[in-house]
Amino acid sequence: MVDADKNPSDAKRLDIHEYNTVVFESGDNRKDVLQRDYITYAFNGQQPTPKFQGESAFTSALLSMSDTTRLVFYFTTGHGERDHSDPQGDGLNTFTDLLQKENDQVKDLNLLVMGKIPEDAAVIAILGPSHAFQPSEVALLRAYVKNGGKIVAMVDPTVNAGLDLLFKDFGVKLGNNLVVDPTSYAFPDVRAVVPTYGSHPIVEKLADQHLAAVMPFGRSVETTTPGLKGATQTVLLNSTAKGFGETDLKSKALKYHPGVDLKGPVPMAVACEWPLPDKPGTTARLVVFGDSTFVTNQMVQAPGNIDLGLNSFSWITGEQNKITIRPKEDADRVLNLSNSGASFIYYFVVLVMPLTVIAVGVLIWWRRRSL
């Protein structure tokens, strides 16, 4: 037992950032179980009652102690990608720390300098590039996946990453648009889409637990005929039918233009597989998101964001046991507001109530003055 307040040096040595964290260690293996993973609250009246539900979380942690494999995730650099060690709001160090606490390693990879894919690469991660990859780099990535490689790509709107040939192999096409959904968004920005989930192991648990993800400033990720015979695609995230892909990115008025904008539901992430015909039992995998902002430090607090990112890496490496399983919580009485309802409350509190008070005050003053 470590008291983080009395012994801050011990907490720092263990790299603990939250109270009541349970740390499992065995050799080089480590797994952190946070309080929210093993304690839930039942609301009986107005007093929340804590309830221990850590069996699944602790069992999963114990099982991971026997895992002697340490996967290496290579994050590409040299194209303006998001920095996985940056603690600022648009950095990825929170997400990276959680990946490493799953007993995995994160390393940088500059394809232009190295000129090859490292043999120990479990996944190549392309997170938020702002400049295009060179043809020689794309050729390396295409050869890598055709040999059974795994790639996670997150490409933001307006960015030409030069990866069209790679995506075309798997039947994926990035849209030159910005996804907007006036019926499902994180108030008050309609560009911060709260997507619906498809049917896939990456999002299955999130859908079952009703954990909402927020995809701010995302683009469409459509499926097309794949260049690799036998490749399959599954849409992970969609806007609602009222959503659309706004093609006029300079327009201040975000509205649907028939025949020009992509009509909803708009796909925003796709997972792909291709079983190698000459290597039975080997499958190449690709996961593509039309947004990288959702895994940044400023957005990982959204309920489903961090799990969506981590689950993508767990699925693509075939480590199904690492896909997040949260304990089932007791049913809460929650008021779910629609966007119109939230807008009504906002304007009622900010405008109607103050103006009513002012009007009543003026009326009373006027009547008293008339006496």
Side-chain angles (χ1 to χ4, degrees):
M1 299 289 292
V2 175
D3 188 320
D5 295 318
K6 292 182 179 179
N7 303 288
S9 60
D10 288 340
K12 185 176 181 180
R13 176 179 58 83
L14 290 168
D15 194 26
I16 300 299
H17 302 285
E18 295 188 25
Y19 287 108
N20 301 322
T21 298
V22 180
V23 179
F24 290 79
E25 285 186 312
S26 176
D28 292 332
N29 289 350
R30 169 172 172 157
K31 173 74 174 181
D32 290 10
V33 180
L34 305 182
Q35 178 176 316
R36 62 176 176 268
D37 295 323
Y38 62 84
I39 297 292
T40 60
Y41 289 88
F43 290 85
N44 300 319
Q46 294 184 347
Q47 184 64 35
T49 304
K51 182 179 179 181
F52 176 77
Q53 291 191 341
E55 290 89 349
S56 62
F58 290 166
T59 300
S60 176
L62 287 169
L63 289 173
S64 69
M65 293 301 98
S66 62
D67 185 5
T68 58
T69 60
R70 290 178 64 82
L71 301 179
V72 183
F73 300 147
Y74 281 91
F75 283 38
T76 61
T77 62
H79 316 89
E81 293 92 338
R82 295 188 185 275
D83 187 349
H84 65 77
S85 62
D86 186 359
Q88 300 300 318
D90 59 352
L92 302 174
N93 78 308
T94 301
F95 179 67
T96 305
D97 287 347
L98 290 171
L99 276 177
Q100 292 174 325
K101 287 181 179 179
E102 295 287 342
N103 298 325
D104 298 320
Q105 294 178 286
V106 172
K107 296 182 179 180
D108 289 334
L109 173 62
N110 190 317
L111 288 171
L112 205 58
V113 173
M114 183 169 287
K116 65 178 182 178
I117 304 289
E119 293 183 0
D120 62 345
V123 177
I124 302 298
I126 305 171
L127 307 186
S130 58
H131 294 82
F133 282 69
Q134 296 297 311
S136 59
E137 297 175 290
V138 178
L140 288 173
L141 293 172
R142 295 180 71 193
Y144 169 68
V145 293
K146 289 179 181 178
N147 196 37
K150 326 289 184 184
I151 295 179
V152 176
M154 303 179 184
V155 185
D156 297 310
T158 74
V159 174
N160 176 17
L163 299 172
D164 292 349
L165 290 177
L166 171 65
F167 294 158
K168 187 177 181 180
D169 287 340
F170 286 87
V172 174
K173 178 183 178 182
L174 294 179
N176 184 24
N177 52 36
L178 176 67
V179 181
V180 177
D181 196 332
T183 60
S184 184
Y185 62 91
F187 185 82
D189 193 343
V190 294
R191 299 169 299 177
V193 176
V194 177
T196 60
Y197 296 121
S199 179
H200 192 275
I202 291 177
V203 296
E204 181 180 10
K205 304 299 181 185
L206 300 178
D208 290 344
Q209 297 286 338
H210 303 289
L211 292 176
V214 179
M215 304 292 288
F217 314 112
R219 70 200 300 175
S220 65
V221 184
E222 299 178 77
T223 59
T224 63
T225 303
L228 297 173
K229 186 178 180 180
T232 59
Q233 314 100 342
T234 302
V235 175
L236 302 177
L237 308 174
N238 272 310
S239 75
T240 67
K242 296 291 186 181
F244 58 92
E246 172 65 74
T247 54
D248 186 359
L249 304 181
K250 297 182 179 180
S251 174
K252 294 182 179 180
L254 300 173
K255 61 180 181 179
Y256 176 64
H257 301 90
V260 178
D261 296 336
L262 182 63
K263 190 177 185 299
V266 180
M268 302 183 68
V270 173
C272 308
E273 292 184 274
W274 180 58
L276 272 65
D278 56 343
K279 292 185 178 180
T282 302
T283 302
R285 287 180 170 178
L286 171 72
V287 178
V288 182
F289 289 89
D291 172 40
S292 69
T293 312
F294 78 100
V295 290
T296 59
N297 297 328
Q298 62 188 345
M299 290 303 302
V300 293
Q301 298 305 318
N305 281 21
I306 198 68
D307 289 333
L308 182 59
L310 293 175
N311 289 355
S312 299
F313 279 79
S314 297
W315 173 80
I316 206 169
T317 56
E319 296 187 303
Q320 304 288 57
N321 62 311
K322 287 187 178 181
I323 291 181
T324 303
I325 302 175
R326 294 182 178 270
K328 184 177 180 181
E329 300 181 7
D330 293 330
D332 300 334
R333 294 182 177 86
V334 179
L335 177 61
N336 292 313
L337 294 174
S338 64
N339 292 319
S340 58
S343 299
F344 172 78
I345 292 177
Y346 174 79
Y347 290 113
F348 183 79
V349 172
V350 174
L351 295 177
V352 176
M353 289 182 64
L355 290 176
T356 300
V357 172
I358 293 172
V360 171
V362 171
L363 179 61
I364 293 174
W365 171 79
W366 179 262
R367 294 193 62 179
R368 289 175 63 90
R369 182 174 179 274
S370 301
L371 293 177

